[in-house]
């Protein structure tokens, strides 16, 4: 019920805070070859990802056209 939901939200909030602290401390900056190994494709930079797939995250305008 409500109690379980509240506990779940607190646990998620704490996990996200810890994750953010680890990122800021640079402990999650290791680069591995896992993506390339799993996908059998070369990795791309975040900038390239944004150019290629930015449209998927854009909010459509009132006329339904994504800009």
């Amino acid at each position: 019920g409500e109690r379980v939901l509240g506990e779940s939200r607190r646990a998620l909030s704490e996990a996200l805070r810890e994750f953010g602290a680890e990122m800021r401390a640079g402990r999650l900056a290791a680069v591995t070859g896992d993506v390339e190994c799993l996908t059998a494709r070369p990795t791309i930079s975040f900038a390239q990802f944004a150019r290629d797939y930015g449209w998927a995250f854009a909010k459509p305008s009132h006329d339904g056209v994504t800009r």
Side-chain angles (χ1 to χ4, degrees), residues 22-46:
E22 292 295 306
M23 281 193 335
R24 285 187 297 281
R27 289 189 280 270
L28 302 176
V31 176
T32 69
D34 293 347
V35 169
E36 190 167 354
C37 202
L38 290 169
T39 63
R41 296 176 62 190
T43 58
I44 61 174
S45 68
F46 181 78

Side-chain angles (χ1 to χ4, degrees), residues 4 13 15-16 21 26 28-31 34 40 46 49 53 58 61 64 66-67:
V4 172
S13 178
L16 289 173
L28 302 176
V31 176
D34 293 347
F46 181 78
F49 174 84
Y53 301 102
S61 64
T66 301
R67 293 184 171 79

Side-chain angles (χ1 to χ4, degrees), residues 8-22 28:
S8 295
R9 285 182 177 155
R10 280 189 290 281
L12 177 60
S13 178
E14 179 62 24
L16 289 173
R17 274 193 297 275
E18 290 175 15
F19 182 72
E22 292 295 306
L28 302 176

